[in-house]
Amino acid sequence: MIPVWKNIPFLRIIIPFSAGILAGWYFSLHWQIALIAAVVALPFFLYLQFSGERSRFYNSWLDGLSFNIIFISLGIALVWLQQKPHQPNWTGHFYKEGDAVQLRLLEPLSEREKTYKALSEITVVYHQQKARKVTGRAMIYFRKDSIAPSLQYGDVILVRSNLQEIKNAGNPGGFDYKRYALFNGITHQLFVKSNEYKKLPQQQTSLFYKKMYEFRSYILQTIRRYVKGDMESSIAEALLIGYRDDLDRDLVQAYSNTGVVHIIAVSGMHLGLIYGLLMFLLKGLNRNKRLKIIKAVLIITLLWLFSLLTGASASVLRAVLMFTAIVGAEVIDRKGTIYNSMAASAVVLLLFNPFLLWDVGFQLSYAAVLSIVLFMKSIYNWFAIQNKLLDGLWKLNALTLSAQILTLPLCMYHFHQAPTLFLITNLVAVPLSSLVLYALILLMVVSPFVALANAVGWLITKMLWLMNQFILWVDHFTFAVVDGIEHSPVQTILLYLIIAGLGIWLIQKKKAALKFTLFFIAVFFAVQFYYQYATSKQQKLVVYNLSQHTAIDFMLGKRYYFNGDSVLLQDGFLRNFHLKPSRIAHRTYEQPNINSNNAWTINNKTIIHINQSYRYDSTVKITADVVIVSNNPKLYLNQLQKTINCKLLVFDSSNPQWKLKYWKTDCEKLGIHYFCTSEQGAFVMNL
């Protein structure tokens, strides 16, 4: 038998390379360790490459071992070297509170509800009137306390606002924003008022990116001019160039619940549509070899320009690399396997940024393509349909169904939900969104002609209105999505093993695969039973870190009891982003009631909640294990000690920072243990 890596040579690289990336991150391995390992392995590998076939045959294990060590070492070294804090000139090594910093804007400002936001590069730190050149990136937020900042891409500003290292809210199950930012090279953030920065006369721009941002701005202005309706224009912006700042949160949630969120996130599907359009428009260049080369160069150039215009996400880069390989192979009349193209593109992307391995878009993109390649043909062959229209509809359903097979476990792991009506929504939304994409491209072409642009804009508006209404209608069904799924990494791996076993059994008719599948199913439910049992025994107190709000959950078995601000019961975004992940992580799905008391005793542990001016009663002294202080009460700790024997004070994030400073000073003087959620993250205690 021919080894699989003979036909898919890049598979032999991507496996040890990915293993090295994972090991380098989770074990914090230094690049020097990787260098030593590679230096030891390289001579053996090179010696065997120039040895005779007999020597290579008998020492194949050494050849494989040395090869794997080299690429594992490469992954470890890249992870270490690409982390900004490991670089000698990183801003964090030199910046002190109160220093001024010089920054260069790396993108135009985007408007938020309360701020203007932009990514910036930190170039200089001024400490005690001495300038130090540094490296690093910061997300800068300009507060809306005056007129909009007259800043654009490439502007250089001097800022005297405090530079803050990015940190997580620390809520259980919450999004790891600090890691996400680090993986994108961002380690700091600034919140700047109008009087805290000064625009410097110099400007540092790249002509290419300047023109790219200008063209992007022109596209946005054109869409907003000709596509009517906020919801319709925002979907058009996301569909064409991946601009998501104007999207309505509830609408995005509806697209996610119904399994068509990929439509409003520029991905491989969009690149495929653009590729198909270019192939159709340039089919006249197939007459001779020279014209074929011109055609290939045009297609590759336009695809790369489109990918950069949309922000070059992981899924887009994967697609454009694969299409580049396909077009290049056609020019030289050489075809490779889709599996090797996938592995090669993954290697290239990970060499550029090893942290893409954690990118959800990267994972879903490769899972979807692999799933389609593996399963679509078998699913499509379930039915033989003579009618061309019905056959086309079934092919679209087969494509959608096959793509879901390997992406569903990832969706359940990352997003804790599984859409149930994705076949119906994709059957309508995919063709309609494809027509909208082509119509938007047509709109850009005819935009100089107002009458034509108005007609095309009207058509786009109607199609988008129809698609949005259809998605919102489907989302109203309670069974449109299975929500609140909590799978551990072990369960996710088991799901993939179950899928692999079922696929081999159904496609290749191997009975042994069925036995392994049944075994993995049994293990999966055993693990699930263990988690359910642990959940039934849990009794926890969670005080969330939620800026300007109070939120307390008692996790008692499979139920949670909430105490806090009533707005958190009404604001879907705050609840879903800050509280829901914790409740899913704790596997609690029911809320019997809202407990409005200010004192609780659970398992002989007393918790007191002070959220208003506290009345001191020295006649009775209470012993409390935890006292939660919120909403800036009029509280004097020396008097509090006379009425409550407090073992621990928890100050939540609804209290102002200036008040916390006084309380912390008093706690240190009085010997009271304290915990600040705004500084230390959520407070979690077993009861």
Side-chain angles (χ1 to χ4, degrees):
M1 293 182 62
I2 300 175
V4 67
W5 54 82
K6 293 292 185 181
N7 292 324
I8 317 175
F10 275 96
L11 183 64
R12 192 182 178 192
I13 296 175
I14 190 64
I15 293 175
F17 187 36
S18 300
I21 292 171
L22 293 170
W25 173 257
Y26 288 111
F27 296 103
S28 300
L29 300 177
H30 199 281
W31 69 269
Q32 293 176 350
I33 296 174
L35 179 63
I36 293 170
V39 167
V40 171
L42 188 60
F44 291 100
F45 177 73
L46 293 176
Y47 169 75
L48 290 171
Q49 302 314 303
F50 295 100
S51 300
E53 291 186 9
R54 182 182 179 87
S55 176
R56 291 186 64 183
F57 177 78
Y58 284 107
N59 294 288
S60 59
W61 65 272
L62 183 59
D63 182 31
L65 180 63
S66 59
F67 181 88
N68 287 330
I69 288 175
I70 290 169
F71 280 97
I72 289 172
S73 301
L74 177 61
I76 293 171
L78 283 176
V79 166
W80 180 273
L81 294 173
Q82 290 207 23
Q83 291 183 58
K84 292 292 183 182
H86 293 158
Q87 297 175 3
N89 290 328
W90 177 55
T91 304
H93 298 321
F94 306 100
Y95 177 81
K96 305 295 180 185
E97 187 174 348
D99 291 348
V101 292
Q102 181 176 302
L103 306 103
R104 179 174 72 94
L105 298 188
L106 297 176
E107 62 183 8
L109 298 181
S110 59
E111 188 173 0
R112 294 289 192 270
E113 184 179 351
K114 297 180 180 179
T115 60
Y116 296 95
K117 185 187 81 166
L119 178 63
S120 65
E121 178 187 23
I122 309 169
T123 55
V124 181
V125 168
Y126 295 93
H127 179 66
Q128 296 179 351
Q129 298 183 341
K130 292 181 180 180
R132 170 82 190 202
K133 289 187 176 181
V134 296
T135 59
R137 287 185 172 188
M139 196 63 73
I140 183 167
Y141 299 88
F142 297 92
R143 300 185 192 275
K144 288 185 176 179
D145 55 0
S146 61
I147 61 174
S150 57
L151 299 172
Q152 56 187 345
Y153 161 70
D155 283 347
V156 179
I157 59 174
L158 185 67
V159 179
R160 297 193 177 278
S161 178
N162 283 334
L163 194 63
Q164 304 171 13
E165 281 198 45
I166 292 175
K167 60 181 181 179
N168 291 321
N171 294 319
F175 177 60
D176 193 343
Y177 179 65
K178 181 178 181 180
R179 190 182 74 173
Y180 170 80
L182 177 65
F183 285 175
N184 286 278
I186 307 167
T187 55
H188 291 82
Q189 60 186 1
L190 298 96
F191 295 88
V192 182
K193 297 179 181 178
S194 58
N195 60 347
E196 293 177 334
Y197 76 92
K198 177 183 178 182
K199 182 180 176 181
L200 301 180
Q202 66 264 37
Q203 193 179 54
Q204 301 173 10
T205 62
S206 161
L207 180 61
F208 174 80
Y209 281 106
K210 184 177 182 180
K211 294 300 180 183
M212 190 68 69
Y213 285 128
E214 288 176 357
F215 185 48
R216 186 180 174 91
S217 177
Y218 171 77
I219 291 173
L220 292 174
Q221 290 173 9
T222 303
I223 290 174
R224 291 164 186 169
R225 180 180 178 184
Y226 294 109
V227 179
K228 308 302 180 181
D230 292 339
M231 295 177 71
E232 288 74 22
S233 63
S234 65
I235 292 293
E237 293 166 1
L239 184 62
L240 183 59
I241 59 171
Y243 186 82
R244 299 170 63 88
D245 289 351
D246 294 335
L247 286 172
D248 180 77
R249 291 170 179 171
D250 294 331
L251 184 62
V252 173
Q253 189 63 49
Y255 272 78
S256 178
N257 291 344
T258 53
V260 290
V261 73
H262 58 90
I263 287 173
I264 55 175
V266 176
S267 62
M269 183 190 80
H270 298 74
L271 262 292
L273 292 169
I274 301 294
Y275 172 75
L277 178 63
L278 292 174
M279 290 292 288
F280 173 76
L281 295 175
L282 301 176
K283 64 181 180 180
L285 300 179
N286 290 329
R287 298 174 186 174
N288 55 55
K289 187 73 173 179
R290 180 179 294 179
L291 289 176
K292 284 184 177 179
I293 293 174
I294 294 173
K295 174 185 173 182
V297 171
L298 283 173
I299 290 175
I300 291 172
T301 301
L302 291 172
L303 286 178
W304 275 100
L305 287 174
F306 177 75
S307 69
L308 293 173
L309 183 68
T310 61
S313 65
S315 58
V316 170
L317 288 175
R318 187 275 308 161
V320 75
L321 280 170
M322 292 186 67
F323 281 122
T324 300
I326 291 170
V327 173
E330 288 179 353
V331 171
I332 61 176
D333 294 325
R334 184 176 178 180
K335 294 184 178 181
T337 66
I338 183 67
Y339 302 107
N340 198 49
S341 298
M342 289 176 61
S345 64
V347 169
V348 172
L349 290 177
L350 293 176
L351 282 170
F352 173 73
N353 182 3
F355 302 119
L356 286 176
L357 200 60
W358 284 267
D359 188 280
V360 178
F362 179 89
Q363 297 172 13
L364 288 173
S365 178
Y366 280 96
V369 174
L370 181 61
S371 193
I372 291 169
V373 172
L374 288 173
F375 301 112
M376 182 182 171
K377 185 177 179 180
S378 298
I379 294 173
Y380 175 68
N381 289 335
W382 285 354
F383 303 104
I385 302 174
Q386 300 300 320
N387 185 281
K388 289 186 177 181
L389 178 60
L390 294 177
D391 182 64
L393 291 174
W394 169 237
K395 185 177 289 187
L396 178 60
N397 274 286
L399 177 69
T400 302
L401 186 59
S402 61
Q404 292 290 326
I405 293 173
L406 293 184
T407 57
L408 189 58
L410 284 173
C411 289
M412 291 191 292
Y413 175 71
H414 289 294
F415 307 121
H416 311 291
Q417 63 180 30
T420 58
L421 300 177
F422 61 89
L423 282 177
I424 297 172
T425 52
N426 276 275
L427 188 62
V428 174
V430 170
L432 198 53
S433 65
S434 301
L435 291 175
V436 170
L437 179 62
Y438 288 140
L440 285 167
I441 294 172
L442 178 61
L443 176 63
M444 297 303 118
V445 174
V446 303
S447 58
F449 310 100
V450 177
L452 281 175
N454 278 322
V456 176
W458 177 85
L459 179 62
I460 293 170
T461 302
K462 295 303 179 183
M463 288 192 292
L464 286 173
W465 178 86
L466 179 63
M467 186 169 70
N468 288 341
Q469 293 304 311
F470 174 72
I471 296 301
L472 291 170
W473 175 70
V474 174
D475 186 48
H476 282 139
F477 294 105
T478 55
F479 55 86
V481 62
V482 178
D483 202 6
I485 299 171
E486 174 63 12
H487 282 170
S488 66
V490 172
Q491 289 176 295
T492 305
I493 293 171
L494 285 169
L495 281 177
Y496 277 113
L497 291 173
I498 292 168
I499 291 170
L502 281 173
I504 294 170
W505 175 57
L506 293 172
I507 297 173
Q508 299 185 3
K509 311 300 182 183
K510 291 186 178 181
K511 293 183 179 180
L514 179 60
K515 295 179 181 179
F516 282 107
T517 302
L518 294 174
F519 171 74
F520 291 134
I521 291 173
V523 175
F524 178 87
F525 282 106
V527 173
Q528 183 70 9
F529 176 78
Y530 166 77
Y531 285 126
Q532 292 295 334
Y533 176 77
T535 299
S536 67
K537 298 296 181 182
Q538 73 178 350
Q539 293 186 321
K540 291 183 178 181
L541 165 68
V542 181
V543 182
Y544 294 96
N545 177 20
L546 183 51
S547 180
Q548 301 179 0
H549 292 290
T550 294
I552 304 167
D553 270 346
F554 292 91
M555 306 294 186
L556 305 179
K558 296 182 180 181
R559 297 183 175 186
Y560 66 86
Y561 296 81
F562 171 76
N563 182 278
D565 296 344
S566 58
V567 68
L568 298 177
L569 302 174
Q570 303 162 6
D571 191 314
F573 175 77
L574 287 176
R575 183 178 66 251
N576 292 337
F577 190 80
H578 295 282
L579 307 184
K580 187 177 178 179
S582 172
R583 292 162 181 172
I584 292 175
H586 286 97
R587 300 174 188 265
T588 55
Y589 307 110
E590 301 176 26
Q591 180 188 342
N593 59 0
I594 299 172
N595 194 329
S596 59
N597 295 332
N598 287 328
W600 307 270
T601 300
I602 303 171
N603 290 342
N604 296 321
K605 291 184 178 179
T606 302
I607 299 98
I608 295 177
H609 183 202
I610 299 176
N611 59 356
Q612 54 189 350
S613 297
Y614 184 74
R615 296 181 180 180
Y616 302 98
D617 185 359
S618 57
T619 58
V620 179
K621 191 168 186 178
I622 307 170
T623 298
D625 295 273
V626 177
V627 173
I628 304 167
V629 181
S630 62
N631 295 322
N632 191 22
K634 186 178 180 181
L635 183 66
Y636 299 96
L637 299 187
N638 56 350
Q639 296 184 33
L640 179 69
Q641 276 192 318
K642 298 176 181 178
T643 58
I644 299 178
N645 180 21
C646 177
K647 297 180 181 179
L648 178 66
L649 272 174
V650 176
F651 303 108
D652 76 5
S653 301
S654 65
N655 299 296
Q657 289 296 319
W658 66 268
K659 195 70 167 288
L660 288 175
K661 291 181 181 179
Y662 289 109
W663 281 335
K664 289 193 294 184
T665 301
D666 289 343
C667 284
E668 290 167 1
K669 289 180 180 178
L670 298 170
I672 301 174
H673 296 290
Y674 65 89
F675 187 101
C676 290
T677 61
S678 59
E679 298 173 359
Q680 298 169 265
F683 174 76
V684 182
M685 184 180 77
N686 289 318
L687 298 174

